[in-house]
Amino acid sequence: MKTVSPISLAGSRLGEVRHVCAFFNSEDEEYRVLLPFIKEGFECGDKAVHIVNPAQHQDHLRRLAGIGIDTATAQQSGQFELRTNTETYLRDGRFDQDRMLQVFEQLASGNAKGGFLLSRMVCHMEWATEGRSHVDDLIEFESRVNDVWRRHDDAIICTYHLAKFGGDTVIDIMRTHPMIIIGGILQENPFFVPPEEFLREVRGRRASRTSKSWQQAT
């Protein structure tokens, strides 16, 4: 059985299970909770991959500089990678689950360039609010990607701002992550459903919705 060093996050510690959904009410709350985790990663030599909203790029760099991170040097050394979520998740304007599974497999520790033993990833998920089909595919993807993170020790924080997602979507997102940050505190998620079971349910739900739409159209 593998043993990994715990990672401090949101008033608690991440053990071996490190796929986290984090719900926030504002950007200030989000950074207050996540900046210590981010700073610790830079200081101990972990790779940092941050996937942010396009309009957030400069503010994100400013906040990192505010805690003493030399982002330019970290980018040059390969320790820090800053991406926009629309370019990452919506390449060619569409979300392809299989492509994104490959992207994260390539970013994962042991596969990524640069020889970093561990990656700490922070992924802003607001891009999915642009369309209902994005949300459906995202929910399925968040369940499927657990199979990638089971094989690696990386810490993955998927951030969701509560005001931008409907209640049903928030519940489904919760059910696809084994760990959760809510109210600023990390905890094991009692609502998590293993991918095999969750995917069966969500695909059945989608098929039922498609059938009803077809019946209404005819």
Side-chain angles (χ1 to χ4, degrees), residues 28-48:
D28 286 341
E29 179 192 8
E30 174 189 336
Y31 281 101
R32 187 170 62 250
V33 171
L34 294 186
L35 281 176
F37 160 81
I38 291 170
K39 184 176 183 180
E40 179 189 82
F42 276 100
E43 290 175 344
C44 67
D46 293 341
K47 171 135 184 168

Side-chain angles (χ1 to χ4, degrees), residues 11-161:
S12 188
R13 288 188 168 249
L14 275 178
E16 291 186 4
V17 181
R18 296 180 167 183
H19 184 207
V20 184
C21 60
F23 293 106
F24 299 111
N25 290 302
S26 69
E27 286 191 2
D28 286 341
E29 179 192 8
E30 174 189 336
Y31 281 101
R32 187 170 62 250
V33 171
L34 294 186
L35 281 176
F37 160 81
I38 291 170
K39 184 176 183 180
E40 179 189 82
F42 276 100
E43 290 175 344
C44 67
D46 293 341
K47 171 135 184 168
V49 180
H50 298 169
I51 304 176
V52 303
N53 302 322
Q56 194 179 18
H57 197 277
Q58 290 305 315
D59 180 62
H60 189 74
L61 291 174
R62 180 184 62 77
R63 290 181 190 258
L64 296 186
I67 57 170
I69 295 170
D70 183 343
T71 55
T73 298
Q75 284 176 307
Q76 288 170 1
S77 71
Q79 185 184 14
F80 177 40
E81 195 172 320
L82 181 60
R83 300 178 171 213
T84 64
N85 52 16
T86 48
E87 289 175 353
T88 303
Y89 289 98
L90 297 176
R91 198 173 73 187
D92 304 323
R94 67 189 190 90
F95 178 56
D96 184 324
Q97 294 185 46
D98 293 328
R99 182 185 70 81
M100 279 310 304
L101 289 172
Q102 292 175 355
V103 166
F104 279 123
E105 188 67 62
Q106 290 163 2
L107 288 172
S109 57
N111 297 332
K113 297 175 183 176
F116 295 95
L117 293 178
L118 191 72
S119 293
R120 299 186 185 210
M121 303 187 196
V122 177
C123 307
H124 289 80
M125 309 305 291
E126 286 82 11
W127 61 268
T129 60
E130 295 179 10
R132 176 71 229 181
S133 63
H134 291 337
V135 170
D136 286 344
D137 282 338
L138 169 64
I139 289 166
E140 194 169 310
F141 169 78
E142 284 279 39
S143 186
R144 292 177 66 193
V145 79
N146 282 298
D147 291 332
V148 174
W149 301 129
R150 279 178 188 149
R151 301 193 297 273
H152 300 280
D153 297 333
D154 308 291
I156 319 302
I157 320 299
C158 305
T159 72
Y160 290 87
H161 283 212

